[in-house]
Amino acid sequence: MPDVILGRAGSTVVVDVDVCVKTGVATKHRVVLRGQTTPTWVSVLLLFTVVGYLFAQAMTSRRYHVTLPFAHAVHDRWRRNRRLCWAAGLAGTGAVVMAATVGHGYAGLWAGAGLTLIAGGVVLGAANALVNNVGVRMTRADELVLTRAHPFFVRAVRRASVEPLSR
């Protein structure tokens, strides 16, 4: 799926087109995404030093506030699956704690089931985010880039843009 530059990182961006960001169909439903992003080069520092990574992340991160057209059904599916993954992770954590504290003959089974639930929650949560949501990243030039967007959405944003999308 293609990427599209939405504006400067650290600013509020409102995308005023009626094409869903994930499905490419017409929609009037809007979703506000809030978060924080850093340039991709910061992640490379994890290979060398955790302290350097944390320092670089703190120094280069920018907040974003993006309003996007998002089909109601797709956004609800993402939220429902996210809650399910959190529930699986919490149930797994409870099973591991129970295995560690109760200490009866089935402690190994409870610990294995708990770790499986935790791993499943993490893996399925990542897959859910990849399939049902979009990503936001920042370039070195402090441009806010929307990733995993539908090609029809990207085309609509580029067609609706009056200002150039890139320098």
Side-chain angles (χ1 to χ4, degrees):
M1 297 218 155
D3 300 344
V4 63
I5 297 172
L6 295 180
R8 304 286 299 165
S11 63
T12 300
V13 177
V14 178
V15 180
D16 195 23
V17 296
D18 290 332
V19 178
C20 175
V21 70
K22 275 311 272 187
T23 62
V25 299
T27 184
K28 296 286 185 191
H29 190 253
R30 299 286 190 260
V31 171
V32 177
L33 301 178
R34 292 182 197 95
Q36 196 169 346
T37 184
T38 59
T40 53
W41 65 266
V42 174
S43 301
V44 176
L45 291 176
L46 270 175
L47 296 172
F48 305 108
T49 172
V50 173
V51 174
Y53 167 77
L54 292 174
F55 181 72
Q57 184 182 23
M59 298 302 291
T60 62
S61 67
R62 301 284 182 270
R63 292 202 168 275
Y64 62 85
H65 185 99
V66 181
T67 303
L68 296 169
F70 219 119
H72 189 66
V74 176
H75 188 256
D76 284 347
R77 181 173 59 229
W78 171 74
R79 290 178 67 201
R80 185 175 51 251
N81 290 344
R82 184 181 64 170
R83 281 190 220 112
L84 180 66
C85 292
W86 272 104
L90 289 174
T93 303
V96 169
V97 168
M98 188 176 93
T101 57
V102 172
H104 53 77
Y106 295 109
L109 179 66
W110 280 105
L115 292 174
T116 302
L117 280 172
I118 292 170
V122 169
V123 169
L124 292 176
N128 178 44
L130 286 173
V131 172
N132 296 318
N133 206 355
V134 294
V136 178
R137 66 177 175 86
M138 184 173 73
T139 64
R140 283 185 178 229
D142 284 345
E143 294 173 325
L144 197 61
V145 179
L146 189 71
T147 61
R148 299 188 311 267
H150 196 277
F152 291 162
F153 172 79
V154 172
R155 195 174 313 138
V157 167
R158 289 182 179 156
R159 203 175 321 127
S161 178
V162 178
E163 298 176 359
L165 290 175
S166 62
R167 296 177 212 206

